[in-house]
Amino acid sequence: MSGDAEGLQRSIREYPGEASSQPDYLPSATLAAVRFRAEMLRRLRTFFDERGFLEVDTPILSADTLVDRHLAAFSTELPCGPGRPPQTLWLQTSPEFHMKRLLAAGAEAIYQVAHVFRQGEIGRLHNPEFTMVEWYRAGDDPAQGMQLLSDLCEAMLRRGPAEWVSYRQAFERHVGLDPHAAPTEALAARCRALRLAVPPGFAAADRDSWLDFLLGECVQAHLGCDRPAILYDYPASQAMLARVRDGDPPVAERFELYVDGVELANGYHELLDAAELRRRNGAVNAQRVADGNAALPEESRLLAAMEAGLPAAVGVALGFDRLVMLAFGATRLAEVVAFPIGRA
Amino acid sequence: MASYNTSEFRKGLKVQIDGDPYLMLECNFVKPGKGQAMYKCRLRNLVRNTVLDRTWKSGDSLEAADVEEVEAQYLYRQADTFVFMDTNTYEQYEIDKDLVDDAWKYLKEGMVCSIMLFNNQPIGITPPNHVVLKVEYCEPGAKGNTATNVTKPSEVETGATIECPSFVDIGDMIRVDTRTGAYIERARE
């Protein structure tokens, strides 16, 4: 096993680039891909400029971080002088906090092309540092937000407008059950009946994990194959920072864009209620601790901004590298990202 | 015993599942929606040669499999047992016919093969990629017919049957690719 340490070093370099045998000082993307990426960025800015959006630039390093069950942010320390403890700063997992604070300050339509960071996400479609396009427009309802996303997708990919498929429709079609009504045991039973490779140690009562697993195994690959697809009205338990709309069942006003089975964007009809966000942060932290992860700071300047008053808005975050990958006809991020983590 | 965390998962890793050694053929990171990160892997059972698809949650780990390959010389066959000798340690390995699998077709005394050991027990053998075998019996050769697209079954010295071109005769030495079982050419030897 003496070769393994060296092998692991090598694997980190090779993983996102997979087949590339080029020396690692060279980019994994061709110059043609680098040029194409620049053209996509121009097209993106034109799209937002034509619609009166303001391009903004907010910090990558922040005192605040998102309280999320399955995201791991990088952190660093700001020295605060002799005899004083350093301040923990977080590398953003998305620019959402700062952009919502701009909305609270009166901005109406803003977009940003931001580098964001997530620990442990390395693979064909993942890199720990990636480029996110995020935008907000005050006053939009979910339908308007989904229409704007569909227009953007059409302008960038030229594969026609997106079809809208509810989370329930998608599950009924591809899994054969109602994701809101089916008991959690039925989700587990469905996984067994379909002979899916369920990871060991899946908690039987962890409903959202079963839903995510079925989504990943049975649904995602079918989404956006003929034309782009927007999946909408998520289970209320997966609202994250989206509003929950009352009804039977109540659903999260959250949506995701898929093209060729690849998840490209996530949007929220933004949660405005600070008390509700505090409640969710507490619940997420309890779950993080139960999962064996550290609790994250629950208070943030976003909460202060929400208390002062956030306008109704839809916000969407889109993975720019994946968008370029699909438009370029590539199958790995490393083909359109000049220096993925192993070459960074 | 060492173990591998999911962040170390990669193609080529040798791991243990339910007591059996597996080779990781593929490993893909997935994270559906805003859910749990997982590693979807495809593995080959190194004893049974079957392929398995398994998924692990990020943060899980697998025990490493103590698998190594050694060079060993084929000595002789006794009923269903093939006897090899490690060329470095001179240790002898008795390997059952089931584990030798198709490799018996190419085994000649003195041939140096690669033996895969799991916890120091042999689990499989790999003969050299190319071996030269003597044809013991075949239908008479068609004189002057050098076409290689017409083949006939020919029995070689190990008792195996190899598909050969029709010009091959009894007593010829032929070179065979052990990975495919295919005739390559006539050999002088």
Side-chain angles (χ1 to χ4, degrees):
Chain A
M1 305 263 133
S2 59
D4 274 9
E6 191 192 327
L8 287 178
Q9 282 300 311
R10 199 172 53 239
S11 76
I12 294 168
R13 228 174 288 144
E14 283 173 358
Y15 203 9
E18 280 168 19
S20 178
S21 55
Q22 299 268 46
D24 65 7
Y25 74 89
L26 288 171
S28 59
T30 59
L31 284 181
V34 171
R35 274 192 289 274
F36 181 78
R37 189 183 170 102
E39 170 54 32
M40 288 289 279
L41 202 51
R42 264 195 295 278
R43 214 185 284 173
L44 179 90
R45 290 199 159 103
T46 302
F47 177 88
F48 283 114
D49 290 349
E50 284 172 355
R51 284 160 183 79
F53 276 72
L54 174 70
E55 182 168 9
V56 299
D57 188 352
T58 61
I60 283 171
L61 275 182
S62 175
D64 298 326
T65 190
L66 180 69
V67 183
D68 185 281
R69 181 178 175 192
H70 295 302
L71 280 187
F74 289 88
S75 66
T76 187
E77 288 184 341
L78 179 70
C80 295
R84 304 180 62 185
Q87 184 192 358
T88 298
L89 291 178
W90 304 88
L91 273 73
Q92 64 182 356
T93 55
S94 104
E96 61 191 320
F97 282 22
H98 292 111
M99 292 183 78
K100 287 180 208 177
R101 284 162 61 189
L102 284 172
L103 286 183
E108 287 176 343
I110 50 176
Y111 78 101
Q112 177 161 207
V113 182
H115 275 229
V116 300
F117 304 84
R118 297 174 178 191
Q119 281 194 41
E121 303 191 1
I122 303 179
R124 186 172 69 87
L125 298 174
H126 292 83
N127 196 51
E129 174 177 358
F130 63 101
T131 303
M132 182 176 271
V133 179
E134 187 151 327
W135 63 92
Y136 291 82
R137 191 162 65 184
D140 273 4
D141 62 23
Q144 289 166 317
M146 285 159 63
Q147 188 57 52
L148 181 63
L149 174 59
S150 173
D151 291 346
L152 175 78
C153 181
E154 198 171 356
M156 299 297 291
L157 288 179
R158 294 170 180 156
R159 289 177 55 169
E163 65 169 329
W164 298 8
V165 186
S166 77
Y167 193 92
R168 172 187 261 155
Q169 287 168 342
F171 266 71
E172 284 174 346
R173 200 174 298 163
H174 302 296
V175 186
L177 49 74
D178 180 338
H180 305 295
T184 303
E185 312 84 75
L187 303 177
R190 197 79 194 112
C191 288
R192 280 194 298 276
L194 293 169
R195 297 174 180 276
L196 301 180
V198 177
F202 234 54
D206 188 348
R207 182 176 184 84
D208 284 320
S209 287
W210 289 110
L211 287 173
D212 284 335
F213 186 71
L214 282 164
L215 180 76
E217 292 288 313
C218 306
V219 181
Q220 283 186 337
H222 300 288
L223 297 176
C225 293
D226 298 328
R227 56 190 179 118
I230 295 178
L231 194 65
Y232 68 97
D233 281 357
Y234 276 65
S237 55
Q238 298 181 16
M240 310 295 177
L241 296 190
R243 279 200 232 184
V244 172
R245 188 175 71 236
D246 286 338
D248 184 24
V251 290
E253 289 182 320
R254 174 184 158 198
F255 52 90
E256 286 195 341
L257 170 68
Y258 286 86
V259 175
D260 287 346
V262 175
E263 186 191 328
L264 273 184
N266 177 76
Y268 299 141
H269 191 208
E270 297 294 341
L271 178 67
L272 307 177
D273 180 348
E276 171 62 11
L277 181 53
R278 280 209 170 81
R279 193 197 63 74
R280 288 186 197 174
N281 282 348
V284 169
N285 262 338
Q287 186 64 59
R288 282 184 63 90
V289 171
D291 291 341
N293 296 314
L296 294 165
E298 291 176 20
E299 284 304 312
S300 67
R301 291 186 174 117
L302 173 64
L303 277 167
M306 289 168 79
E307 273 161 356
L310 198 59
V314 168
V316 180
L318 177 143
F320 185 68
D321 311 288
R322 288 187 183 178
L323 182 76
V324 175
M325 178 192 88
L326 291 174
F328 195 58
T331 55
R332 296 175 294 119
L333 287 190
E335 292 176 66
V336 296
V337 174
F339 300 108
I341 193 69
R343 290 164 187 261
Chain B
M1 174 60 77
S3 66
Y4 296 114
N5 182 271
T6 47
S7 58
E8 299 169 310
F9 281 14
R10 68 191 153 92
K11 222 188 289 190
L13 211 62
K14 288 168 185 139
V15 296
Q16 260 188 87
I17 304 168
D18 305 328
D20 274 354
Y22 283 83
L23 175 70
M24 203 168 273
L25 302 174
E26 271 176 55
C27 176
N28 291 303
F29 176 85
V30 295
K31 196 172 183 296
K34 294 201 167 287
Q36 162 91 56
M38 289 178 291
Y39 291 79
K40 293 183 63 158
C41 304
R42 172 159 291 181
L43 308 109
R44 194 176 75 230
N45 185 310
L46 291 172
V47 179
R48 280 188 279 274
N49 247 335
T50 50
V51 170
L52 177 74
D53 288 318
R54 281 274 181 102
T55 304
W56 284 276
K57 297 193 308 260
S58 180
D60 286 351
S61 57
L62 285 175
E63 226 173 280
D66 178 10
V67 174
E68 63 171 331
E69 287 197 75
V70 296
E71 283 200 339
Q73 196 170 36
Y74 172 54
L75 299 181
Y76 57 89
R77 176 178 180 166
Q78 199 166 42
D80 281 346
T81 300
F82 291 74
V83 182
F84 291 82
M85 183 184 66
D86 190 312
T87 52
N88 286 314
T89 64
Y90 306 113
E91 190 176 338
Q92 287 199 6
Y93 300 111
E94 296 189 349
I95 306 183
D96 190 80
K97 189 170 118 262
D98 291 342
L99 285 179
V100 171
D101 204 17
D102 274 354
W104 69 268
K105 293 179 182 173
Y106 316 109
L107 291 180
K108 283 167 73 174
E109 285 174 16
M111 182 179 280
V112 174
C113 299
S114 169
I115 294 190
M116 191 178 282
L117 302 176
F118 171 51
N119 293 334
N120 299 316
Q121 292 299 309
I123 55 171
I125 85 146
T126 310
N129 290 344
H130 296 155
V131 296
V132 174
L133 301 169
K134 186 176 179 186
V135 176
E136 303 260 271
Y137 178 79
C138 61
E139 295 297 324
K143 288 279 181 254
N145 184 355
T146 55
T148 49
N149 55 350
V150 182
T151 65
K152 60 181 179 186
S154 307
E155 197 178 317
V156 294
E157 56 187 308
T158 59
T161 301
I162 307 289
E163 283 294 327
C164 294
S166 59
F167 57 75
V168 167
D169 266 328
I170 293 172
D172 282 354
M173 303 298 285
I174 59 168
R175 200 180 308 281
V176 178
D177 188 320
T178 62
R179 295 162 296 187
T180 58
Y183 165 94
I184 302 171
E185 59 185 359
R186 267 191 293 197
R188 258 187 272 273
E189 197 166 303

